[in-house]
Amino acid sequence: MVEAESGSKFNRYAIGTQNSSRVGSEPYDLRSEEPIASLQRELQELRHSVASLQRENQNLRTQLSHRENSSPEDSHRLLELVMDHVPQAIFWKDCNSVYLGCNRLFALAAGVHHPREIVGKTDDDLSWTKEEAEEYRAGDRQVIASQRPKLRVRGTRHLPTGEVRIVETSKIPLHDRHGNVVGVLGLFEDIGDRLQTAELLQQRLAAIEGSSDGIAIQNHQQEFTYVNRAYLKMFGYSEPGELLGKTWRELYEPEEIERMERDIVPQIQAERQWQGEVQSRRRDGTSFMQEVSLTLTEAGMVCICRDVTERKQIEATLMLYKQAVECSSDAIGIADAQGHHFYQNPAFSRMFDCETAEEFNEFGGIPATFIDPTIVPEIFAALNRGESWIGEVEQRSKNDRRQQILLRANAIKDGEGNVIGAIASHTDITDRKQAEAALQRTTQALKEAQELAHIGNWEYDACNNTIIWSDEVFRIFNRDRDWGPPGIPESLEYYHPDDRDRIQTALGKTVTDGTPAEVEARLSCDPPRHVHIKVKAVRDGGGPVVGLFGTIMDVTELKRAETHLQQKTRELESTLQELKRAQTQLIQSEKMSGLGQLVAGVAHEVNNPVGFILGNVAHLRGYVGDLLLLIETYQKHNAQSPEIEKLIEEIDLDFLTYDLPQLMNSVETGARRIQAIVQSLKNFSRLNEAEMKEADIHQGLDSSLTILNGRLQLSPGGPEIAIAKNYGDLPKIECYPGQLNQVFFNIISNAIDALQCLGDEGTHQPPQITITTAIADDNRAVIRIADNGEGMTQEVRSRIFDPFFTTKPVGMGTGLGLSVSYQIIVDRHKGELDCTSEKGKGSEFRIEIPIRQSR
């Protein structure tokens, strides 16, 4: 009875320790746990541990009193049993600091296998450092000399594993029956986790207390149990005692209390949280708007709030400004410091044919509206300096409607003078500019022609037989302006001889019937230059042609650009195909790398505890056998008291004796199964086999099936996919094992998805996947993976290997699985991958790869 009860209390102590560690390792969340409640729970756990030790001591005294007539050997064994189950390390020494005994916990910390092995040793013989050993002996001498206990002394202790732990040691003098000191009794406990938890808790409390948001905690009686400084300041209080013990109702007006009890409290009780705004009252009676987040926990209510009164006032002022801007006839837009347009008034929407700010950003924002984009850097430079920019510009709308605009752009600054955005006002001056252009048409025409790159304009007066050239025409023909423009016959001499007739014919037709003409020609120079000529007739009112007006544009660079662009287009198309191929390869590499890391982590983390379980099952089986033998021997050689017989009946000792070995076998079997699953994962990823090598194809197929085993059950209680393996006699294949396993995984996974429809529709056809392997043409291995699902249409089957093509719903597939699989088989393994499928008759994927790769 003592052993069973001690064991249960030890387990409870261990659970409490784990909970304490959890508090120190997880991030603190105000909405999930209160700091004061956490301290109360830790204090309660400590009280439970003390009570447990007291009960152990009382049990020991009771057992010893019952066994006064027992042999000293039995009493000694009972004492050892109880000592080994006490959750603290205990030791005792003689006056020379020589160990006389210890319990199992101390033996484990000291690096000895059994408490009996420590008898006769000193601290120099154990795993402590020399400094620690001398410190322990000094403590022994102090206790013996003073004959007074030395309690809760903190220090370090080196464990046999090399770890250094912070421990708390207590020592008391041992007296014989005559009152003489005969040694020291000690107890030590590892307090590292406890110190870390206390320090972390203090940090969390400091963070809460220093928060700019108001934070308060209420108990289930709706009374404040904690408020931080920000919460006190928000409501006009100076000391926590002015609010602690009071309820939240003292901080709100009666109307707001009624609203909260009617609308907010029921929602908190139903959903355990609420967020919103409430009207609050300060201590001096003034009101303010408060943004509140409430969370209901097991210990009470957590409240996080902030004063948003100033923000509300600013919002009201901004609303007035917004109404004024909305009514303005000028187009007004606002953008942030990154140039992202986020506001426009109705006039702006009409001017640029964009209903919303998002539509305007998609159009390209302000830079996209300028006909002359060279103005944009000048405007942005002025705004970045915090200055304004005013000028006349030509802008276009989304529907390519062009307008003359008087633009006024101003930088928006914060309180410290930093530019945080810009506001622009656009006034449509198109009508005014058109009126100016009507008065100065000739001058404006020349100005516009000269502003265009490599374009000149010319006029021919048929009545006077004179020609006028712009400056750009002189530059195009490389003629000195001082010479003046040539006549018509001399002008033709500037063109390539093969193009002169075409030019003369086009000009003659325009003079004759007024038909506009366009001609592309070459100039007579080396290397030849290309020009584009436009000509239209000038009439006297609606009468005969009296002259010509034309433009000439140097398109040499444009021709070169077109040729270069065509070449670059072909190169880019080729590069695009290579990029797509590289993209799919990169995605495959990332997936395999991630999978390999996952498997390595799982194997490392799972194998250690599984190895620990398997390594200790044999020992545990031996210990259990010894205990059962001890119980049997005890029953044979000791008279059964009524209490023991009643306990044997209650715990069903015969059943425990029978079932315990079976339970040990089940534990070992489960651990073996975990080892097998981990081995399958390692075989599947083949992380350490990135190079081509010989591999067992069947092992890769089996590993893929093992990983996908959890998906074979189509639905709870529904049919399970049957796997038919028709494996041939294949030798080891020279391949990339990890990549080939990925192909098997993708194809089998797709087959399971196809068979999912059978389970959803409740068909009576048993779902099945058939895997067949064989050898073809001596040096080719063939793997066929077939399912009896719904199959595919011809259109779908023709596209299944295209990158990013998928028939699965959005979010269920990337469309890369079969594309990557095709590259792995065809490009990496010089093999073949094809699919045979017909609607309603299932699908079969056929993989064929060389057994030996050619070098």
Side-chain angles (χ1 to χ4, degrees), residues 62 164 172 250 331 405 426 478 489 519 607-608 622 691 704 724 728 749 765 797 803 836:
T62 302
V164 180
I172 61 175
E250 301 184 29
I405 303 295
H426 306 255
N478 197 22
V519 181
N607 273 337
N608 285 340
E691 300 299 327
S704 299
S749 179
Q765 182 181 9
R797 190 188 65 78
T836 303

Side-chain angles (χ1 to χ4, degrees), residues 70-186:
S70 302
S71 64
E73 182 179 357
D74 290 341
S75 299
H76 181 70
R77 289 179 180 177
L78 180 59
L79 180 60
E80 284 186 346
L81 183 62
V82 173
M83 292 285 286
D84 287 341
H85 284 79
V86 173
Q88 280 83 19
I90 302 174
F91 62 90
W92 51 96
K93 306 178 183 178
D94 62 14
C95 291
N96 296 319
S97 292
V98 176
Y99 282 94
L100 301 177
C102 68
N103 65 351
R104 286 187 179 273
L105 280 182
F106 187 86
L108 180 63
V112 297
H113 295 86
H114 193 275
R116 286 191 293 270
E117 297 181 16
I118 205 169
V119 177
K121 294 182 181 294
T122 66
D123 289 304
D124 291 328
D125 301 324
L126 303 180
S127 61
W128 338 127
T129 64
K130 292 182 178 180
E131 293 77 7
E132 289 174 341
E134 180 56 37
E135 180 184 350
Y136 300 156
R137 283 193 295 270
D140 297 342
R141 291 192 295 268
Q142 183 178 353
V143 170
I144 294 172
S146 65
Q147 297 190 25
R148 300 180 63 181
K150 189 176 183 181
L151 304 178
R152 295 189 174 276
V153 178
R154 291 185 182 179
T156 60
R157 175 153 294 183
H158 283 69
L159 302 181
T161 59
E163 297 179 83
V164 180
R165 308 303 296 268
I166 300 176
V167 297
E168 191 174 75
T169 305
S170 296
K171 295 180 180 180
I172 61 175
L174 289 176
H175 299 83
D176 59 13
R177 64 181 62 185
H178 303 293
N180 299 318
V181 177
V182 296
V184 176
L185 174 65

Side-chain angles (χ1 to χ4, degrees), residues 41 204 223 337 396 443 488 498 523 600 608 703 841:
R41 283 195 293 272
R204 292 172 177 171
E223 298 172 342
R396 65 187 181 93
T443 304
I488 294 295
D498 296 341
L523 298 182
N608 285 340
S703 297
K841 296 186 178 180

Side-chain angles (χ1 to χ4, degrees), residues 619-631:
H619 299 293
L620 186 58
R621 183 180 286 111
Y623 298 158
V624 169
D626 292 343
L627 290 175
L628 293 177
L629 179 61
L630 175 62
I631 292 173

Side-chain angles (χ1 to χ4, degrees), residues 499-514:
D499 297 336
R500 292 171 186 171
D501 290 342
R502 290 190 300 108
I503 297 173
Q504 191 169 7
T505 300
L507 294 177
K509 186 174 179 59
T510 302
V511 172
T512 302
D513 56 18

Side-chain angles (χ1 to χ4, degrees), residues 8 24 49 119 235 245 340 343 360 415 481 489 506 514 516 546 581 603 671 719 734 793 828 833 836 842:
S8 63
S49 298
V119 177
F235 284 93
H340 181 77
Y343 171 78
F360 186 72
R481 183 176 177 79
V546 296
R581 185 181 299 274
E734 191 175 23
T793 63
R828 300 285 286 172
L833 174 60
T836 303

